Amino acid sequence: MPSRRLAALAATAAVLLALVPTPARASSPGWFWNQPHCDTVYGDGSVTITETDGATLAPTTGKLQPVTYAKVAALEEPNTLITIGRQSIQRFSDAGCSWQLLDKAPDDLSTYDVEPGPGDTAYIYSVNDQPIHRVKGSRVTTVQGPVAGGGLAALAARPGRLRVVAGDSQVYDSTDDGVSWQRSGVPAARDLFMYDAVVDSRNPDHIVIGVMSDGVYVTYDGGRTWTRSRPVERVNAFSLAISPADPSKVWLEGYDRDRSTRFIWESSDGGLKFREVLDQSRADLINGNRMWASPADPDLLYFSYGTSFANFGADLYRFRPSTGELTKNHNRNDGIPSLAFNPSDPKILYLGLAEER
């Protein structure tokens, strides 16, 4: 009899455990997200949705007005995105179908980016300018950055901590949501002109920066020490991307001064060494193509090219470095300055669009 009772208790416990979400699922934003259930995006035309890598774009009720370079970010908060346009900060909470205006910014946000934070927060910052706009729910507040008159190349937000990389590669931290700042480490080198920086989403002490003429520098200790990457020492390192799925994968788009050619390079060791994976004979590479790494596939990279010149439009490229597989899809917009992945299904892409005319 006792053995039967124990067996029954064990079976009951097993059923109860099966009903409890596993830690992996509970910590994954995508577990709580939905796919967008709409054929048309109700908004100002700045953001659209594609499930075909850009071959078809969801129509929008509004027409994008010039001059706009829209940026979009998917938040941890289920089904919530933040987008910025010329002077507008917008939000939607239905996985991308309809937008709500949160605030009209006093400054042009064309040079700003938007970075998701914990929960329902996002941060809007510029490489060229201050301030930092903080979004929490439907409320927008503003603080100054750590460098008077200077912008930020990267911002990463974790619960209770902001980490930014200034234009001279100096790292700063804040534990009071940007009200005050403390230096971390030292700049990578003297008199750097920095184009871009990326912070590892899993390990904020791992930072990669791209600079003019001198290539790439990487730190694994929050900026206390820096290593110059090889063999890209004589490269204008315009754009960087790091894989959320595998942060040892880092991509660099830049200009090799010795060969007068633009390339995309790939690193498999977090940015210490790079190898060429694509050159400008196969794709329209410029001084700073935007790149976005898949959050689910460490061997998948998207990048874009666009211009209003001669009414060219925009191309969205899908690139698999391991095989060299490259595809592109064209649209009539003047550019794709931003891309975000739906956390429940990374094949669903949100595109921030540009209108220059």
Side-chain angles (χ1 to χ4, degrees), residues 57-246:
L57 307 181
T60 61
T61 56
K63 182 179 179 181
L64 187 59
Q65 298 299 307
V67 172
T68 300
Y69 299 91
K71 313 292 172 53
V72 60
L75 306 191
E76 287 184 357
E77 179 76 8
N79 306 315
T80 303
L81 297 98
I82 297 293
T83 183
I84 59 175
R86 292 175 62 193
Q87 291 180 288
S88 65
I89 302 172
Q90 301 181 83
R91 177 182 189 265
F92 65 64
S93 55
D94 56 4
C97 291
S98 56
W99 293 94
Q100 169 197 1
L101 179 64
L102 295 184
D103 196 14
K104 294 291 287 184
D107 302 315
D108 189 346
L109 299 178
S110 297
T111 64
Y112 280 70
D113 284 304
V114 55
E115 179 70 19
D120 63 351
T121 64
Y123 296 85
I124 299 164
Y125 68 97
S126 172
V127 69
N128 294 325
D129 202 0
Q130 296 194 71
I132 300 171
H133 302 288
R134 306 172 301 181
V135 180
K136 183 171 179 57
S138 59
R139 183 167 178 257
V140 180
T141 56
T142 298
V143 291
Q144 295 302 306
V147 182
L152 306 173
L155 182 150
R158 286 190 164 198
R161 178 184 180 187
L162 292 181
R163 168 157 283 184
V164 300
V165 184
D168 62 353
S169 75
Q170 176 67 57
V171 178
Y172 294 87
D173 291 322
S174 175
T175 56
D176 54 13
D177 208 24
V179 175
S180 62
W181 297 91
Q182 302 78 43
R183 289 175 180 263
S184 174
V186 296
R190 295 184 60 183
D191 300 324
L192 290 181
F193 182 91
M194 190 160 58
Y195 289 117
D196 199 9
V198 288
V199 181
D200 185 341
S201 60
R202 298 187 187 182
N203 173 18
D205 284 340
H206 175 208
I207 303 168
V208 187
I209 66 169
V211 304
M212 177 189 288
S213 301
D214 294 330
V216 173
Y217 292 82
V218 60
T219 179
Y220 274 95
D221 55 17
R224 289 189 292 275
T225 60
W226 295 86
T227 301
R228 195 175 178 193
S229 306
R230 298 181 291 114
V232 290
E233 293 93 338
R234 289 180 52 79
V235 166
N236 287 332
F238 295 120
S239 302
L240 293 162
I242 188 168
S243 170
D246 178 5

